[in-house]
Amino acid sequence: MSHEALAESVLSRLGLSEANPAAATGDGHWLRGSGSFAAEDPSSARLLARVGRGTAPEYDAVVAAAQAAFGRWREVPAPRRGLFVRDLGDELRRQKDDLGTLVALEVGKIKAEGDGEIQEMIDVADFAVGLSRQLYGLTLASERPHHRMMEQWHPLGVAGIITSFNFPAAVWAWNAFIAAVCGDTVVWKPSPKAPLTAIALQRIADRVAAYHGAESVFTLFLSDEAAAGARLAADPRVALVSFTGSSNAGRQVSQTVAGRFGRCLLECSGNNAAIVDETADLDLALPAIVFGAVGTAGQRCTSTRRLIVHESRFEELAARLVDAYTQVRVGDPLDAATLMGPLIDPRAVEAFTATVTETRRLGGQVLAGGSRLTRPGHFVAPTLMRADNSWPSVQRETFAPILYVMRYRDFDNALALHNAARQGLSSALFTLDMRNAERFLSAVGSDCGIANVNLGTSGAEIGGAFGGEKETGGGREAGSDAWKNYMRRQTNTVNWGTTLPLAQGIRFDLH
Ligand code: UN1
């Protein structure tokens, strides 16, 4: 089937039309909004569909619905809330192929990665279902006789989820599925560059919610106006704002949320590096580095952007990378032979070109790629450059497939280069030396939220807590105990005795 014919049939099977609504209150009602914006296919620059623009009235309707639903949902026992997410996960299993294709169509990631993204949602659903029976609190030892102290976790409120185009489905699931089992309700504000995936997912959620009395647990608000995210950040009805996007935007969101004592969960820019030491297995390192740098066309926050190579291995690895880069098939994301699709839009291509030019001017040398491709759609060549870690272009996160390679002499030097970045999301070391490996993972090693040995910087499993330090924002999402971000902790003390002993030995006798 041709790309166009496939697009048409997938869109119609997922309930998308030429003109789509702007917002959903999660109980089967959709709102049109005022005006509209375009959803485009980045691999052809052609219009896929139009989407309504949500404005203040639609926003208020959505938040009001989520707020009212919270009043009910928080009383539903957590394991029952889990059943809703379980059925959602099953629905995603059934529609994985179509949804994976939609992600590939809308944001240009290759079909295998589009499918992988839906699998990531299914994995989170499974995790959340298990979690729904494990929202444990502690029982603590009281210092007073005949007292019991414990900790409970209660639902928090409405969670606002702002997602980026690059993971238009999975990052919503990381947040929304965990929030839902925790008893929160959700307002989703997806990227205006990926509205169709959001609408398709909301339609599925609406159908499943109707079976479970979970109406308005998931709601959706679409807009291409920058003010939409700011409105969510400023809204005191929104207890938690989970933001994925650039550090600059994240800084704004977090300052606004902090100003009203709201809670914020940030997953901002990364500038991830991999170190290859003198003992590394290059057969293993090579595909990991190429997938990390070229996968999703370098548009993951976990993408490998800097490669720090021991001088004894530099020439060999550089030559093998150049060879691999020239073999990466760039093209239609729906073609099974393609390894790299387009960038998201013309602005991303401009940022790529400007960054390559700037790095060249600073003295950088292009080893592979370096230019945009002359074909319809927003395609660039996977690019490998020799560069210096201190250059401003290397210090910035450019959402494009540019990998900067640099050499080092001793491991101290490698670690210093590695940590000399403002961002701190993901990191990797390729080594067979256990001392280097352990040091990399130690308190004086990688300063990132994610540190891997003998695998790449991207492609984390959902079972771990995902997020990073420094300008990445400090948030942790998905697995481990990230659920605690979506709940409020309450410390309880019960006196089952007949006297009133005070803590800290204070005496207060009323005579
Ligand atoms: C992101 O780029 O925002 O670890 C998320 C990964 C994916 C998630 C990336 N599981 O690369």
Side-chain angles (χ1 to χ4, degrees):
M1 208 189 284
S2 77
H3 185 100
E4 287 70 28
L6 191 59
E8 209 169 295
S9 64
V10 164
L11 260 52
S12 90
R13 277 202 297 279
L14 291 173
L16 297 154
S17 62
E18 279 170 25
N20 298 282
T25 49
D27 49 2
H29 287 98
W30 290 78
L31 310 168
R32 290 167 61 128
S34 67
S36 67
F37 61 99
E40 282 176 3
D41 174 350
S43 62
S44 63
R46 292 208 331 222
L47 182 76
L48 282 171
R50 295 200 69 82
V51 177
R53 177 177 299 125
T55 57
E58 293 79 33
Y59 173 78
D60 279 327
V62 162
V63 176
Q67 202 181 20
F70 175 65
R72 303 184 295 271
W73 190 240
R74 65 183 166 180
E75 290 202 73
V76 175
R80 285 225 204 150
R81 300 194 292 245
L83 297 183
F84 167 46
V85 174
R86 187 190 67 184
D87 281 356
L88 248 174
D90 282 347
E91 201 54 46
L92 294 171
R93 279 185 174 87
R94 276 192 280 278
Q95 303 199 44
K96 178 176 166 182
D97 185 34
D98 277 353
L99 288 166
T101 302
L102 177 61
V103 168
L105 276 170
E106 188 170 44
V107 304
K109 61 173 76 175
I110 59 171
K111 168 75 168 143
E113 289 189 73
D115 290 349
E117 175 154 6
I118 307 309
Q119 185 58 47
E120 191 160 344
M121 302 183 80
I122 294 166
D123 295 344
V124 182
D126 286 352
F127 180 86
V129 176
L131 194 61
S132 72
R133 289 183 181 269
Q134 300 176 78
L135 302 170
Y136 301 136
L138 298 172
T139 297
L140 307 146
S142 172
E143 69 187 50
R144 287 170 281 188
H146 303 159
H147 279 57
R148 185 165 67 84
M149 223 173 21
M150 64 179 179
E151 206 169 65
Q152 296 190 86
W153 293 89
H154 293 312
L156 183 67
V158 175
I161 302 175
I162 301 174
T163 54
S164 162
F165 76 86
N166 66 331
F167 274 80
V171 173
W172 171 68
W174 290 357
N175 287 278
F177 294 178
I178 306 281
V181 299
C182 289
D184 298 343
T185 57
V186 167
V187 175
W188 184 13
K189 210 296 277 172
S191 163
K193 295 170 193 170
L196 301 180
T197 301
I199 293 170
L201 290 171
Q202 180 70 37
R203 282 200 194 290
I204 293 172
D206 275 11
R207 274 201 304 276
V208 180
Y211 285 117
H212 284 272
E215 287 88 353
S216 303
V217 169
F218 294 142
T219 68
L220 175 67
F221 179 77
L222 293 153
S223 169
D224 59 343
E225 292 175 333
R231 195 181 280 143
L232 204 63
D235 192 336
R237 294 172 295 178
V238 180
L240 167 73
V241 177
S242 173
F243 171 86
T244 302
S246 71
S247 296
N248 282 341
R251 185 179 284 116
Q252 295 294 319
V253 166
S254 71
Q255 286 174 356
T256 306
V257 175
R260 60 176 177 84
F261 298 99
R263 202 184 283 184
C264 212
L265 198 48
L266 294 177
E267 209 255 278
C268 303
S269 305
N271 191 355
N272 318 297
I275 300 175
V276 177
D277 82 1
E278 58 273 50
T279 69
D281 176 349
L282 294 191
D283 292 339
L284 182 148
L286 190 80
I289 294 163
V290 178
F291 176 70
V294 162
T296 326
Q299 300 172 108
R300 291 192 189 211
C301 23
T302 51
S303 291
T304 311
R305 311 206 176 280
R306 300 177 294 137
L307 186 63
I308 303 165
V309 187
H310 188 263
E311 56 183 7
S312 66
R313 311 299 295 278
F314 189 88
E315 297 305 334
E316 182 192 359
L317 182 58
R320 289 182 68 174
L321 278 169
V322 169
D323 186 44
Y325 266 56
T326 49
Q327 286 171 41
V328 169
R329 289 269 295 264
V330 182
D332 181 355
L334 295 178
D335 180 339
T338 301
L339 287 183
M340 191 181 106
L343 291 178
I344 187 69
D345 61 12
R347 278 183 60 193
V349 176
E350 277 162 34
F352 163 86
T353 313
T355 301
V356 171
T357 307
E358 178 184 340
T359 311
R360 258 205 183 116
R361 207 174 293 135
L362 289 163
Q365 184 196 351
V366 174
L367 302 177
S371 52
R372 63 171 304 171
L373 304 184
T374 48
R375 53 179 286 171
H378 315 304
F379 290 94
V380 301
T383 296
L384 202 60
M385 294 190 84
R386 255 182 216 256
D388 189 285
N389 194 61
S390 65
W391 293 346
S393 54
V394 178
Q395 286 290 315
R396 267 198 324 266
E397 180 196 51
T398 303
F399 245 38
I402 306 172
L403 180 63
Y404 302 111
V405 291
M406 48 201 96
R407 58 171 87 217
Y408 78 88
R409 189 156 282 163
D410 61 54
F411 201 62
D412 284 342
N413 174 222
L415 281 178
L417 281 172
H418 177 276
N419 290 344
R422 294 198 310 275
Q423 310 81 351
L425 179 55
S426 186
S427 57
L429 167 65
F430 294 92
T431 186
L432 297 179
D433 178 327
M434 64 85 74
R435 288 183 178 153
N436 282 353
E438 290 294 332
R439 190 155 160 226
F440 185 67
L441 304 181
S442 79
V444 294
S446 164
D447 62 3
C448 293
I450 298 170
N452 297 332
V453 174
N454 289 332
L455 64 148
T457 60
S458 71
E461 302 173 19
I462 60 91
F466 184 94
E469 306 301 336
K470 303 194 283 185
E471 289 192 10
T472 304
R476 291 296 185 279
E477 295 172 341
S480 184
D481 65 351
W483 61 271
K484 291 179 176 171
N485 290 305
Y486 304 83
M487 304 199 86
R488 64 184 171 87
R489 183 196 312 238
Q490 189 174 66
T491 304
N492 309 120
T493 310
V494 178
N495 176 2
W496 56 273
T498 54
T499 60
L500 190 75
L502 298 178
Q504 295 89 42
I506 292 173
R507 292 200 56 121
F508 191 79
D509 296 327
L510 289 178
H511 292 295

